[in-house]
Amino acid sequence: MLRRLSVSVVLALAVLTVPARAATTTYQAESAALSGGAAVSTEHGGYTGSGFVAGYTDGNKGRAATTFTVSAPADGAATVSLRYANGTTATMSLSVYVNGTKIRQTSLPAVGPWNAWGTKDETLPLRAGSNTIAYRFDSTDLGNVNLDSITVADPVAALPYEMETAFLAGGAGVATSIGGYAGTGYATGFTTPGARAIRTLTMPAAGPAATTLRYANPTGTARTLTAYANGLKAGRITLPAGAGWLTVTHTLTLRAGLNLIGYQYDSGDTGGVALDGLTVAGAGTLETRGATVPYTEYEAEHGTTNATVIGPDRTYLTQAAESSGRRAVKLASTGEYVQFTLTRPANSIVVRHIVPDNAAGTGTTAPLALYANGTKLQDLTLSSTYSWVYGAYPYGNDPAGGNPHHFYDEARARIPAQPAGTVLKLQKDASSSAAYYVIDLIDTEQVAAALTMPADHLPVTSYGAVADDSGDDTAAIGNAVAAARAQGRGVWIPAGTFVISARVNVAGVSVRGAGQWHTTLRGTNGKGGFFATGSGVQIADLTIAGDVRYRDDAAFDTGIEGNFGTGSLVHNVWMEHVKVGMWVDSGTDGLYVAGVRIRDTFADGVNLHADVRNTRFDQSVVRNTGDDGLAMFSQGAPVTNCAFTFNTVTLPMLANAVGVYGGSGNRVEDNLLSDTVTGSAGIAISTRFSPVPFSGTTSVRRNTLTRTGGYEPNWGAQLGALWIYADTADITAPVVVQDVAVNDSLHQGLLLSWQKTIANLTLDRVTISGAGTYGIEANAAGSATATGVKVTGATSGGLNNLTGYTFVRGQGNTGW
């Protein structure tokens, strides 16, 4: 964590039938049709039925398959939950087929030792009657998993996106008083301007989509709200009155990948309705944990290589310890390569890499060859300019300080379009001048064409900004912002790179680009970004590429910072090489952030600081931060009713994937968190740094922590993957930890410390698999209730209770 003090549309009505809760049926893998070397085994415990299916080994690659025959009562989309074991330390994969057609490649994260079992949900299209569901080890898969069973829910005709789980702000909230709603409630409170609901969804392709909104309007007269698609006004929606739950259908133009659909009480609307959910024709399924992303990730150690695989190693200050999965591939000699087979088409690549620094610490730049199916496409430019820091905290750029770390950076490039099945190869050619290259992973995606300027926006080029030159565009962009605000319009930054040398202040205005891969604002001398000074800010569809090369909290700029007031939105923004990705400060109430990528910062990824309320960071990826990936920092005033949801956070170089330091009623839910490095937990609930105590209920639900926890060298202390830390004060307000999986933690799976009181702690359905020391360690006073807490594979034992901490044990606890 950064340490500092400081169009009205006539719409048809239709009645939406609310399905009852789907029935489920379990099918055992050992009773399925097995082929290609897949075979029944009982070698490892914890399976259900009479055994499990093994044989998904490298020798059976391209052949092994388990095919289930399942029955569905109707056509529709069904949730299928695969129970599997992955005792490796890395995410593996299989291909999923329905009725002989490949649906997707599914990733299967590590879950601990081989007798630990996890689940992976898929939404699959079934037809009425008999179907086959097959899990195959195709040539592009990683295999090396065991299968226990699948559980299949009866399909439903459409999967609704529930509005009670949407982002609600401006007075909108959740209610349950009107009967007949779907899900767990509905959104209400659309009674004053600014009340809004924003729902994320994913689409397989861009284009117009029929969108059906289920609502209630018992007022006796037609009411209106304004619809938004990805932050742009789509038109006013008329919602006729009637009894019970009703529907209206309208068409929205959506993008491939993540979309935001919003309904808002704008000036001129009448509101007064309740919103239950929406369905969108052709929509896909969001990931059940972690961010839904447009790219495919390939780990280097799972590719084909003639070079050296480094790791696994978790020793601080080693390159392997800073690698995803703690392994990577080192290309040290001419002709060495690592290659990957694309499972989806791509026209872009991101390479997470290390190249050596120079003696001055200012960085080196070197080419690395990229081939497709054996033909060279181009050289990629890799650099150490924004990596390699030295010495003691806060870490400088002088190699004389010793102890180098923060080795990795990322390079991104557009490439000629490549179909699925293409073999992409990174090779050290004779012209590849670096002494060595370490490749950790690549991300590939199909980048869409550049967006076009909305009708009500002003282009920065009309105010003197020039793309792709070396001139400073800061003043021109600032002038465009001022003009747009005065005219009630938005700001458009077209495709190209624009240089900024200072922060651009924004309030009451929307700033949009042509897309993350098309519009770039490039900082200089550690400066450049956006600074919010009031309400109604929107920043979207661009990249902020900073010029921060080491940590200097006082001198350098954050990517996006400030007081966002009310009604603000940040989405589809890429931030890299900045001090902090986002620093959200006091006065912010109801900011929504979604679809963001934050990479390679020198302090936090995101920090919600002091009096921040009703703010949510959602569906985003944070990687390689210099401090906490995501933090809520109640300094001087509580962070209140805020949430980190459906994010993927990996490889913070210092501190935690998520840290919650005091505050009231905050949530950490549905995240994937992995590979912390030092002084770290996967999730820390802590009074450290914060004189503001906890109040309300802090919710930690449905998170998966993999290879987290770390050693704190300044204290000589081992920190757990999940760490409840009563430091400056007791923690006595309720903390609920529910449906959390802790896998392969470096030290304790759960640590309670430090000799103060931790009370009102609820542990419910927490699984700890493969802890490096104890499953649970208690070094605090107080008590917790524990139900369904299961520890397996803890090296030192299930429980180390140093202080006689009281665990009130319910049903289903094992292993401790």
Side-chain angles (χ1 to χ4, degrees):
M1 185 181 67
L2 181 63
R3 281 81 168 169
R4 85 177 196 186
L5 298 177
S6 43
V7 126
S8 181
V9 183
V10 178
L11 301 164
L13 286 175
V15 176
L16 176 67
T17 301
V18 181
R21 182 178 297 274
T24 61
T25 305
T26 298
Y27 301 84
Q28 293 295 331
E30 67 272 19
S31 300
L34 308 180
S35 59
V40 177
S41 176
T42 57
E43 180 183 1
H44 306 295
Y47 56 83
T48 60
S50 59
F52 60 88
V53 171
Y56 285 95
T57 55
D58 291 339
N60 294 323
K61 188 169 187 174
R63 302 186 299 117
T66 301
T67 303
F68 300 87
T69 299
V70 307
S71 180
D75 293 348
T79 299
V80 177
S81 181
L82 171 68
R83 190 170 192 261
Y84 73 95
N86 176 0
T88 74
T89 60
T91 297
M92 296 300 177
S93 63
L94 293 175
S95 291
V96 185
Y97 289 74
V98 175
N99 297 318
T101 299
K102 183 173 178 177
I103 304 301
R104 65 179 66 93
Q105 183 183 67
T106 187
S107 59
L108 301 171
V111 291
W114 285 105
N115 60 356
W117 298 86
T119 58
K120 178 62 182 291
D121 290 347
E122 308 283 347
T123 300
L124 302 178
L126 300 184
R127 62 196 180 200
S130 181
N131 297 261
T132 60
I133 300 174
Y135 290 85
R136 300 182 184 175
F137 189 0
D138 283 354
S139 60
T140 57
D141 294 323
L142 301 172
N144 293 287
V145 294
N146 297 328
L147 309 187
D148 183 40
S149 65
I150 62 170
T151 299
V152 182
D154 287 350
V156 295
L159 292 176
Y161 290 92
E162 297 294 339
M163 296 305 290
E164 72 272 17
T165 57
F167 173 73
L168 305 174
V174 178
T176 58
S177 58
I178 301 174
Y181 56 83
T184 60
Y186 56 86
T188 189
F190 299 94
T191 56
T192 57
R196 60 177 176 161
I198 303 175
R199 175 70 249 194
T200 56
L201 70 151
T202 185
M203 297 295 291
T211 303
T212 301
L213 175 66
R214 189 172 194 248
Y215 73 97
N217 177 9
T219 65
T221 59
R223 299 293 181 125
T224 63
L225 291 174
T226 299
Y228 287 78
N230 297 309
L232 289 171
K233 188 176 293 189
R236 179 163 289 157
I237 306 300
T238 298
L239 304 171
W245 292 98
L246 310 168
T247 62
V248 294
T249 299
H250 54 293
T251 298
L252 296 175
T253 300
L254 302 178
R255 305 171 177 179
L258 191 72
N259 287 264
L260 310 183
I261 294 180
Y263 297 96
Q264 183 165 308
Y265 190 131
D266 280 354
S267 177
D269 285 324
T270 51
V273 297
L275 306 183
D276 185 32
L278 57 87
T279 56
V280 180
T285 303
L286 296 168
E287 295 289 344
T288 55
R289 295 189 184 187
T292 299
V293 298
Y295 54 84
T296 304
E297 194 158 283
Y298 305 84
E299 292 279 355
E301 65 271 21
H302 299 148
T304 302
T305 185
N306 64 351
T308 301
V309 176
I310 64 170
D313 191 349
R314 302 189 191 190
T315 306
Y316 183 47
L317 303 180
T318 64
Q319 293 178 347
E322 295 188 17
S323 303
S324 175
R326 317 298 185 175
R327 293 189 294 168
V329 172
K330 186 174 184 178
L331 311 179
S333 299
T334 299
E336 290 190 338
Y337 66 85
V338 58
Q339 65 185 28
F340 314 84
T341 301
L342 296 183
T343 59
R344 290 161 55 180
N347 61 6
S348 69
I349 188 170
V350 173
V351 181
R352 186 168 194 262
H353 67 275
I354 302 171
V355 294
D357 206 6
N358 61 8
T362 54
T364 60
T365 299
L368 181 65
L370 174 66
Y371 290 77
N373 295 331
T375 299
K376 186 171 181 178
L377 291 180
Q378 63 197 71
D379 279 326
L380 303 176
T381 301
L382 309 188
S383 178
S384 63
T385 301
Y386 297 104
S387 54
W388 292 79
V389 295
Y390 304 89
Y393 176 88
Y395 317 118
N397 212 24
D398 184 358
N403 292 334
H405 61 287
H406 207 298
F407 300 111
Y408 278 100
D409 194 16
E410 298 182 12
R412 69 177 190 175
R414 296 293 301 273
I415 63 175
Q418 305 297 319
T422 300
V423 177
L424 287 184
K425 178 170 66 176
L426 297 171
Q427 180 169 290
K428 190 179 190 303
D429 283 354
S431 59
S432 302
S433 54
Y436 66 83
Y437 303 80
V438 177
I439 309 301
D440 185 26
L441 55 83
I442 67 169
D443 297 333
T444 63
E445 71 181 280
Q446 188 70 28
V447 177
L451 300 169
T452 57
M453 184 177 72
D456 59 346
H457 283 53
L458 301 176
V460 297
T461 50
S462 295
Y463 293 82
V466 179
D468 303 322
D469 71 348
S470 59
D472 190 340
D473 299 301
T474 310
I477 295 173
N479 290 337
V481 167
R485 183 177 184 185
Q487 298 176 38
R489 302 175 73 177
V491 174
W492 175 250
I493 307 179
T497 297
F498 298 85
V499 176
I500 53 175
S501 59
R503 301 184 305 193
V504 176
N505 289 349
V506 288
V509 70
S510 170
V511 179
R512 306 180 71 94
Q516 292 177 331
W517 282 89
H518 298 286
T519 296
T520 298
L521 299 181
R522 185 166 303 284
T524 57
N525 299 316
K527 301 292 189 177
F530 288 105
F531 191 83
T533 60
S535 300
V537 172
Q538 183 175 177
I539 302 170
D541 300 324
L542 50 82
T543 287
I544 300 170
D547 186 39
V548 175
R549 307 183 184 204
Y550 57 93
R551 183 165 181 165
D552 188 327
D553 292 349
F556 294 152
D557 285 347
T558 291
I560 300 176
E561 184 174 0
N563 171 8
F564 292 82
T566 60
S568 292
L569 174 64
V570 176
H571 60 107
N572 200 37
V573 175
W574 190 322
M575 288 167 268
E576 63 184 13
H577 305 150
V578 291
K579 178 180 64 178
V580 175
M582 293 190 68
W583 184 278
V584 181
D585 227 326
S586 287
T588 301
D589 188 348
L591 168 66
Y592 186 48
V593 182
V596 165
R597 307 184 208 189
I598 295 175
R599 309 277 174 86
D600 308 311
T601 69
F602 287 89
D604 298 344
V606 173
N607 195 305
L608 309 185
H609 175 242
D611 184 20
V612 176
R613 303 178 297 278
N614 306 310
T615 289
R616 181 171 170 181
F617 188 85
D618 189 30
Q619 291 289 354
S620 297
V621 178
V622 178
R623 184 164 70 201
N624 199 38
T625 59
D627 215 315
D628 286 329
L630 302 175
M632 299 181 187
F633 179 22
S634 294
Q635 184 183 43
V639 176
T640 303
N641 193 33
C642 292
F644 296 142
T645 58
F646 294 101
N647 301 297
T648 299
V649 182
T650 186
L651 290 157
M653 295 298 101
L654 170 68
N656 315 294
V658 176
V660 181
Y661 305 99
S664 178
N666 297 307
R667 299 184 291 127
V668 180
E669 297 178 347
D670 304 291
N671 301 289
L672 291 178
L673 314 170
S674 65
D675 292 321
T676 55
V677 176
T678 188
S680 55
I683 299 175
I685 306 299
S686 174
T687 56
R688 189 182 184 194
F689 308 121
S690 177
V692 177
F694 285 93
S695 60
T697 297
T698 300
S699 170
V700 180
R701 288 181 166 95
R702 300 177 303 278
N703 301 286
T704 299
L705 287 63
T706 303
R707 296 180 301 273
T708 58
Y711 184 70
E712 170 49 87
N714 297 303
W715 303 347
Q718 298 173 347
L719 306 184
L722 176 59
W723 184 25
I724 315 296
Y725 182 35
D727 178 29
T728 60
D730 297 336
I731 300 176
T732 57
V735 177
V736 177
V737 180
Q738 186 178 66
D739 294 314
V740 171
V742 179
N743 303 319
D744 195 16
S745 57
L746 180 59
H747 302 301
Q748 312 92 337
L750 168 65
L751 173 63
L752 309 178
S753 69
W754 169 251
Q755 298 186 356
K756 286 188 170 65
T757 297
I758 300 172
N760 285 322
L761 173 62
T762 298
L763 305 172
D764 183 19
R765 300 190 300 275
V766 178
T767 61
I768 299 171
S769 304
T773 58
Y774 293 96
I776 302 171
E777 182 170 294
N779 196 350
S783 66
T785 61
T787 305
V789 178
K790 300 179 181 181
V791 177
T792 58
T795 301
S796 302
L799 175 65
N800 185 26
N801 196 338
L802 297 170
T803 51
Y805 190 84
T806 300
F807 291 96
V808 180
R809 295 173 180 255
Q811 298 290 320
N813 298 302
T814 59
W816 59 288

